Amino acid sequence: MAKQYIEKGLLVPDHVITRLMMSELENRRLEHWLLDGFPRTLVQAEALDKICELDLVITLNIPFETLKDRLSRRWIHPPSGRVYNLDFNPPHVHGIDDITGEPLVQQEDDKPEAVAARLRQYKDVAKPVIELYKSRGVLHQFSGTETNKIWPYVYTLFSNKITPIQSKEAY
């Protein structure tokens, strides 16, 4: 169901994404997890509130043009899901997957016009969610244009807030 919206460059409606996410999270109640891009709307946040209390919420404040440029330069290898970015993770040969030699494609929702529309729509619906988590004292905001400059601050926050989990291989 979500694919039909994504292919048109639209955000997946609340009822579709919420049903999918709640089902998945209910199955993982006893596990630790990290969500990326959910919840995006107040309806989604309210549904999430019914099953858990969030420890930490992060929002990245990245300029519109930076996001648009970055997302518009994304190409994928559909069979494997490998993602390339023409600026910071380009394929060795333009338009060709490094491993298989098969062609890369740019998804409809990664084309500049679709990205711009999606970002404008996201900004409008995300603002109340950001305000909600800010009022609860769990929101942490980071600003910048480069991952390698933002990530150390995010990593430090994670390290100070979340106790590392030892993997079985560590024993």
Side-chain angles (χ1 to χ4, degrees), residues 116-154:
R118 202 167 76 236
L119 288 172
R120 280 191 294 274
Q121 185 180 9
Y122 172 77
K123 182 180 176 185
D124 292 340
V125 298
K127 187 175 181 179
V129 176
I130 291 168
E131 290 303 318
L132 172 71
Y133 292 126
K134 188 176 186 178
S135 72
R136 292 182 182 175
V138 295
L139 180 72
H140 299 267
Q141 299 184 60
F142 300 94
S143 300
T145 59
E146 298 176 43
T147 304
N148 62 345
K149 291 184 179 174
I150 297 173
W151 174 246
Y153 297 104
V154 174

Side-chain angles (χ1 to χ4, degrees), residues 21-168:
M21 292 300 298
M22 293 306 101
S23 173
E24 189 63 31
L25 293 174
E26 284 286 348
N27 292 332
R28 298 175 185 277
R29 273 187 176 259
L30 301 177
E31 299 175 25
H32 297 277
W33 36 263
L34 171 72
L35 301 176
D36 180 4
F38 183 87
R40 291 186 181 198
T41 68
L42 278 178
V43 169
Q44 293 172 9
E46 290 164 359
L48 188 57
D49 280 347
K50 292 177 183 173
I51 66 165
C52 70
E53 185 176 320
L54 299 181
D55 300 314
L56 179 65
V57 176
I58 293 173
T59 185
L60 303 176
N61 298 318
I62 300 168
F64 180 87
E65 284 302 314
T66 301
L67 289 171
K68 189 178 100 180
D69 290 347
R70 221 179 256 184
L71 293 171
S72 298
R73 303 201 35 86
R74 184 167 57 184
W75 289 73
I76 66 160
H77 177 249
S80 69
R82 274 186 291 282
V83 178
Y84 296 88
N85 184 288
L86 301 181
D87 290 330
F88 58 85
N89 182 34
H92 296 302
V93 176
H94 183 74
I96 303 295
D97 180 59
D98 289 347
I99 296 172
T100 66
E102 296 171 334
L104 300 175
V105 298
Q106 186 175 44
Q107 296 177 327
E108 286 300 315
D109 65 329
D110 285 340
K111 293 188 176 171
E113 312 77 42
V115 167
R118 202 167 76 236
L119 288 172
R120 280 191 294 274
Q121 185 180 9
Y122 172 77
K123 182 180 176 185
D124 292 340
V125 298
K127 187 175 181 179
V129 176
I130 291 168
E131 290 303 318
L132 172 71
Y133 292 126
K134 188 176 186 178
S135 72
R136 292 182 182 175
V138 295
L139 180 72
H140 299 267
Q141 299 184 60
F142 300 94
S143 300
T145 59
E146 298 176 43
T147 304
N148 62 345
K149 291 184 179 174
I150 297 173
W151 174 246
Y153 297 104
V154 174
Y155 180 81
T156 299
L157 175 67
F158 280 159
S159 299
N160 291 329
K161 288 274 189 180
I162 301 170
T163 305
I165 300 169
Q166 292 277 327
S167 68
K168 291 179 183 175

